Amino acid sequence: MDRPPNILVVLSDEHTAAAAGWAGHPHVQTPHLDRLAAQGVSFDRAYTNSPMCVPSRLSLMAGQYVHQIGAWDNGVIPGPSYRTWGHHLRDAGYTSVIAGRTHFNGPDRLLGFDKRLTDDLDFWLDHSGRPPRRTPDWRRPTNSHVTEQGAGDHVHTQHDIATTDAALDFLRGPGDDPFLLYVGYMHPHFPLVAPPEFRALYDAADVELPSVADDQHPVISLLRHGFRNDEPLTEEQIREATVCYWALISHLDHQIGRLLAAVPDDTVVIYTSDHGEMAGHHGIWQKQCFYDPAVRIPLLLRHPALTPGRTDAHVSLIDLLPTLRDVAGLASDPALPGHSLLDPTDRPVLSEYHAQGMLDGGFMLQSGPWKYCYYGAANPPQVFNLDNDPLEQHDLSGDTALVHRLDGELRLLLDPDATDERAKSDQAARMAVSTRG
């Protein structure tokens, strides 16, 4: 049997799909990722399975939907039955290595991987298991996720440089076994403090100011209030926040360029992000919702057997583990709901949100041109036709026949009401335990 190929997976944090050169953005400079896109396949309709860091990452590492593994929020600590890429690829003889940000909680810093070169920043880790408070009066302490901005040094930048350095050290002598090297970056996650040389690449005058509708969905209005997105910003703040976000993407691209220069062309390379960033669209900064800037993510795959190009097949992060198994020569695992990206099929995508800012669980079904968002029986849904309305400004939920059909499709994947009840029950139990502790 031929030796399986080495694999490099790069995961950024909060990189929305549209903010890249290969994606057609008129200003964002990503020359190294553009070259990777030209060498591989760009999945132009790739989605996260949760617009929140820890749920998304636990989902992609396990190849399971959020509701299948109880990864409801950023306080979840994975239990001993949780199986990751490292567990799976061990069966194919791989050495699995982590460098940088994983944002999984708890004392087990490997979760099935063989080695960790560098860890998350301490202040990002939660060892309490405490869930978020999901009440109408919950509010983020400040809107610093927008207002902390400008050129300067930051610990996130230092983390990403150190992560690249550690990964490059490993690549200089990786050993004889095939390896899976996972490299996790902080950028372009807020705060929007960008290295000065990358901030200098951009002119704030080039920013097209996002529009905000006066009449917003009640769930979105509450979400905006909770994350202080309803606090007014000046035009100057919006422009500076946006170009700093672009600059963080360019710094990320620079670090990825350092990695790509160190791996041979026959190395399988995957680049993606855990979720996107709204960047002011619909009056929202951060993510936590199902508008495309929050849930659509970049996804690039370079494999010697694949013809470079683009595909508009709907895929999601749960497809990464089946892909890694396929690359490693392992048989498909019927317990995994995803599908290998080496042979992508267009299928409905499911995304979930069960955390602060939403009182009830939120569920998104992306099926063909249709996006259906269900927020529980007490709230109206949202429906968008992305082919005709890419900015998601015209809610079609008044079409009862269409809503009925899309709701039926969603319920083929899960029972949203029962899932919501299970999430709330689990979060209540964890809150009780953490309070007693």
Side-chain angles (χ1 to χ4, degrees), residues 238-271:
I238 295 172
R239 291 183 183 277
E240 183 65 18
T242 303
V243 293
C244 285
Y245 179 65
W246 295 351
L248 291 173
I249 293 170
S250 290
H251 182 263
L252 164 73
D253 179 81
H254 176 71
Q255 298 306 317
I256 294 172
R258 295 175 63 200
L259 287 178
L260 294 177
V263 296
D265 290 344
D266 60 355
T267 304
V268 173
V269 179
I270 298 173
Y271 170 70

Side-chain angles (χ1 to χ4, degrees), residues 11-155:
L11 186 74
S12 62
D13 196 312
E14 209 145 322
H15 186 187
T16 191
W22 84 89
H25 196 282
H27 303 296
V28 178
Q29 299 176 38
T30 51
H32 302 291
L33 285 170
D34 293 352
R35 186 158 52 252
L36 179 64
Q39 295 170 344
V41 176
S42 173
F43 294 84
D44 295 341
R45 292 188 179 181
Y47 285 85
T48 182
N49 300 109
S50 181
M52 191 74 162
C53 296
V54 172
S56 172
R57 290 162 180 272
L58 291 180
S59 174
L60 78 89
M61 279 286 182
Q64 302 275 351
Y65 288 120
V66 165
H67 66 275
Q68 292 179 299
I69 56 174
W72 311 116
D73 54 68
N74 274 1
V76 168
I77 297 175
S81 63
Y82 180 77
R83 298 185 72 240
T84 67
W85 303 348
H87 292 106
H88 282 257
L89 265 64
R90 187 172 297 135
D91 294 339
Y94 275 77
T95 297
S96 56
V97 181
I98 295 172
R101 179 166 173 79
T102 49
H103 204 178
F104 51 66
N105 300 314
D108 185 350
R109 308 308 304 148
L110 291 176
L111 283 188
F113 282 72
D114 297 307
K115 183 187 304 183
R116 184 186 266 277
L117 308 176
T118 61
D119 208 335
D120 279 86
L121 294 163
D122 288 343
F123 62 85
W124 277 107
L125 300 182
D126 186 339
H127 301 290
S128 71
R130 183 188 297 270
R133 191 162 56 86
R134 297 175 64 186
T135 58
D137 62 340
W138 176 85
R139 293 202 82 186
R140 192 178 190 273
T142 71
N143 68 345
S144 61
H145 53 291
V146 189
T147 56
E148 188 178 352
Q149 56 180 239
D153 191 21
H154 193 272
V155 66

Side-chain angles (χ1 to χ4, degrees), residues 382-395:
Q382 288 178 302
V383 178
F384 301 102
N385 184 321
L386 295 186
D387 285 355
N388 299 333
D389 179 27
L391 298 181
E392 299 166 286
Q393 295 176 329
H394 305 289
D395 186 350

Side-chain angles (χ1 to χ4, degrees), residues 170-213:
F170 169 78
L171 289 169
R172 292 187 184 100
D176 296 329
D177 293 334
F179 66 78
L180 164 65
L181 174 61
Y182 162 95
V183 181
Y185 290 114
M186 283 298 318
H187 284 172
H189 193 286
F190 65 87
L192 301 170
V193 178
E197 66 273 28
F198 289 90
R199 169 61 186 86
L201 296 174
Y202 297 104
D203 185 346
D206 291 332
V207 173
E208 183 178 345
L209 297 175
S211 61
V212 181

Side-chain angles (χ1 to χ4, degrees), residues 326-356:
D326 197 1
V327 170
L330 296 172
S332 61
D333 184 343
L336 300 177
H339 191 279
S340 173
L341 297 173
L342 298 187
D343 181 24
T345 58
D346 188 87
R347 298 181 302 152
V349 167
L350 173 68
S351 192
E352 310 169 51
Y353 185 76
H354 303 276
Q356 63 268 38

